Amino acid sequence: GNRDRGAALYAQHKCGGCHELNGEGGWLGPALTNVGAERSIGQLYSALQDPNRDVAPETWRVRGRTRTGKTILGVRLNED
């Protein structure tokens, strides 16, 4: 693909909030540095069309509110 176009899309859609690329970015989603070698074109296309379709449960973000009204953000670790 076109590296410059990919970099622009990565920045535009704020992918770095969840994904690491070349040592920079988030940690909630899978690292994307070598994704082209690890996934097929079809898998990549599908992930770009619907990024949340195959999100692993261990990376789900959750939001809670305390009795005092404070909002707490976190990552789902388990469910009772």
Side-chain angles (χ1 to χ4, degrees), residues 7-19:
L9 287 170
Y10 182 85
Q12 177 186 351
H13 294 283
K14 298 177 176 43
C15 301
C18 293
H19 298 278

